[in-house]
Amino acid sequence: MTTVFPGPPRTEQELMERASELAGKTLQYLASRQNIELPVSLNRAKGHIGTLLEKYLGSTAGSLPEPDFREIGVELKTLPLNKQGRPKESTYVCVVPLLPAEQTTWEQSLVKRKLSRVLWLPIEADAEIPLPRRRIGSPILWSPGATQEKILRADWQELMDMVITGELENISARLGHYLQIRPKAQNARSLRQGISNTGDINATLPRGFYLRTRFTRTILQNH
DNA sequence: CATTGATCATAA
DNA sequence: TTATGATCAATG
């Protein structure tokens, strides 16, 4: 593997310069610059493109529960686009804290810290385009507006209230305007400790926070 | 055909 | 083992 830049970006501007160079380039180009081979399909490499971009841009966070660019507090998210140029998938944000000891305020939450500043990188993702030929779009450096944050916060609060009051099993992906909670696991047999409907701690499916496609669509439209 | 629930790879 | 990176695929 070849490292393209000497270290992590020190400023947002430096990050944007690095990302802007990729606009219009293909995934083949992105991989070639780093002497990494593209997988034949994303089927068995679902996060490959995101990882490739992190490496290219100089992220050092690894799999720490932190924004990708810790030095400047920016989170990197790819945004897969369908044939119409709209987001085709929801966006994973972070793990849902299920235990009482893990609870925080909205201000301290990982959801807020990650979504405070996001570098969105649109990627062509229509199934008809071969992976190597899919193009990277122009980067969007985004922060939630006041109204957006208000709704994100309300979603988070509503969902976390359910988590801590033993209503976890009543949470479905239908809840939440912008944010939703869905399974985030190796498979349906994966288990995590959580608060049961009797208030005890028992085993449950690990969950994650996701941004709905209809929300990321508006982010894209506003640019 | 959009959405929900399920799943795959990998690093520390 | 549990977080990251996400997309797949069944379902309504």
Side-chain angles (χ1 to χ4, degrees):
Chain A
M1 172 189 158
T2 301
T3 304
V4 176
F5 298 106
R10 293 176 199 170
T11 62
E12 285 190 347
Q13 188 190 346
E14 192 177 350
L15 175 59
M16 281 302 274
E17 284 169 4
R18 292 182 183 186
S20 297
E21 287 177 20
L22 291 175
K25 300 291 201 302
T26 63
L27 295 183
Q28 180 58 257
Y29 172 86
L30 176 67
S32 299
R33 283 295 302 274
Q34 302 175 84
N35 288 313
I36 293 175
E37 287 205 11
L38 281 177
V40 175
S41 149
L42 292 184
N43 211 305
R44 295 246 157 175
K46 297 179 181 179
H48 197 92
I49 306 307
T51 305
L52 211 52
L53 281 162
E54 282 186 349
K55 286 177 179 165
Y56 180 91
L57 296 172
S59 167
T60 54
S63 62
L64 293 174
E66 295 288 334
D68 296 303
F69 299 96
R70 306 163 68 188
E71 303 83 0
I72 53 177
V74 177
E75 174 74 9
L76 175 69
K77 290 292 177 200
T78 60
L79 206 48
L81 305 183
N82 62 20
K83 198 176 299 184
Q84 297 94 49
R86 298 196 305 217
K88 63 171 281 195
E89 292 286 350
S90 56
T91 301
Y92 171 70
V93 180
C94 62
V95 159
V96 177
L98 298 178
L99 292 172
E102 300 168 340
Q103 301 308 308
T104 68
T105 61
W106 162 250
E107 294 297 330
Q108 298 295 320
S109 70
L110 195 49
V111 172
K112 188 191 172 191
R113 286 192 290 133
K114 284 200 171 191
L115 296 186
S116 290
R117 200 70 171 152
V118 179
L119 182 68
W120 298 99
L121 276 172
I123 311 283
E124 286 182 327
D126 183 80
E128 289 176 12
I129 311 174
L131 208 52
R133 293 225 295 264
R134 295 184 189 179
R135 291 171 302 176
I136 303 163
S138 297
I140 298 170
L141 192 53
W142 170 87
S143 290
T147 307
Q148 290 175 324
E149 181 177 337
K150 213 169 186 173
I151 294 173
L152 288 168
R153 177 188 186 132
D155 283 344
W156 181 89
Q157 196 65 62
E158 177 191 8
L159 292 164
M160 290 312 297
D161 281 349
M162 292 183 72
V163 168
I164 63 177
T165 57
E167 293 182 83
L168 176 61
E169 303 306 329
N170 300 130
I171 293 178
S172 86
R174 295 168 185 81
L175 296 176
H177 296 93
Y178 295 167
L179 261 188
Q180 62 181 175
I181 286 181
R182 307 214 309 270
K184 170 60 171 168
Q186 195 67 41
N187 54 51
R189 275 79 64 197
S190 299
L191 294 175
R192 213 59 97 241
Q193 295 288 101
I195 304 171
S196 75
N197 53 12
T198 61
D200 303 319
I201 305 297
N202 69 356
T204 187
L205 202 55
R207 318 296 168 92
F209 281 111
Y210 295 81
L211 292 176
R212 292 183 179 282
T213 303
R214 82 170 78 104
F215 180 59
T216 53
R217 180 188 305 168
T218 69
I219 293 174
L220 200 59
Q221 280 173 347
N222 293 332
H223 279 80

